[in-house]
């Protein structure tokens, strides 16, 4: 991998970054050994401000991170550490993709293939409303029960 750095400051930053790295031979991760935040991501000073070490690594090796994208540690490339700064383990993706790939509630829900009642989450049976999805069969059943309850309440009120 060839790196073209913009100026001496970037050369020094790369040396400082790589000086705080231990290689994990099993995963190929370059584990950042410098300062970390409680969630495990490395922090390093760059151009008079603190930045995430994995973001700096990506930018020094590949250039600017495209607008609207975040850097993901790609498990398919062997990455197991949030503190990994191996540029080959990093990929710019949307926040939505990053969350779905991770070990999060959003990822767990996205991986589900059936609703709690056992109906398949197929396009013809699923409403996707951006923040989640709903089974059409279950929604229709809930509406039917709601209307029946309202009819009962109206009849009892008379």
């Amino acid at each position: 991998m060839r790196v073209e750095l913009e100026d001496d400051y970037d050369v020094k930053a790369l040396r400082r970054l790589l000086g705080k790295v231990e290689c994990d031979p099993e995963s190929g991760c370059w584990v950042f050994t410098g300062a970390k935040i409680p969630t495990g991501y490395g922090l390093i000073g760059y151009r008079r401000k603190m930045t995430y070490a994995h973001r700096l690594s990506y930018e020094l090796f590949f250039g600017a991170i495209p607008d609207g994208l975040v850097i993901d540690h790609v498990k398919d490339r062997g990455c197991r550490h949030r503190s990994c700064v191996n540029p080959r383990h990093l990929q710019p993706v949307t926040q939505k993709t990053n969350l779905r790939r991770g070990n999060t509630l959003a990822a767990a829900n996205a991986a589900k293939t059936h609703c709690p009642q056992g109906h398949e989450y197929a396009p013809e049976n699923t409403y996707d409303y951006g923040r989640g999805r709903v089974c059409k069969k279950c929604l229709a059943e809930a509406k039917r029960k709601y209307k029946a309850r309202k009819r009962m309440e109206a009849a009892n009120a008379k």
Side-chain angles (χ1 to χ4, degrees), residues 72-115:
D72 184 24
H73 292 85
V74 183
K75 287 186 177 107
D76 291 346
R77 296 179 184 171
C79 194
R80 298 186 199 162
H81 304 280
R82 287 182 171 177
S83 58
C84 178
V85 295
N86 183 340
R88 289 188 173 111
H89 289 187
L90 307 173
Q91 180 182 31
V93 297
T94 63
Q95 180 66 18
K96 185 175 185 178
T97 298
N98 192 23
L99 289 172
R100 287 194 172 170
R101 286 181 177 177
N103 188 18
T104 64
L105 183 58
N109 284 332
K112 292 178 182 174
T113 59
H114 291 74
C115 77

Side-chain angles (χ1 to χ4, degrees), residues 55-77:
R55 292 178 61 86
L56 178 61
S57 176
Y58 183 88
E59 289 179 349
L60 291 174
F61 281 93
F62 297 120
I65 299 167
D67 287 341
L69 300 183
V70 299
I71 296 299
D72 184 24
H73 292 85
V74 183
K75 287 186 177 107
D76 291 346
R77 296 179 184 171

Side-chain angles (χ1 to χ4, degrees), residues 3 5 9-19 60-61:
V3 181
L5 303 173
Y9 196 86
D10 284 349
V11 171
K12 290 176 186 175
L14 182 60
R15 283 187 183 137
R16 198 169 63 255
L17 176 72
L18 295 178
L60 291 174
F61 281 93

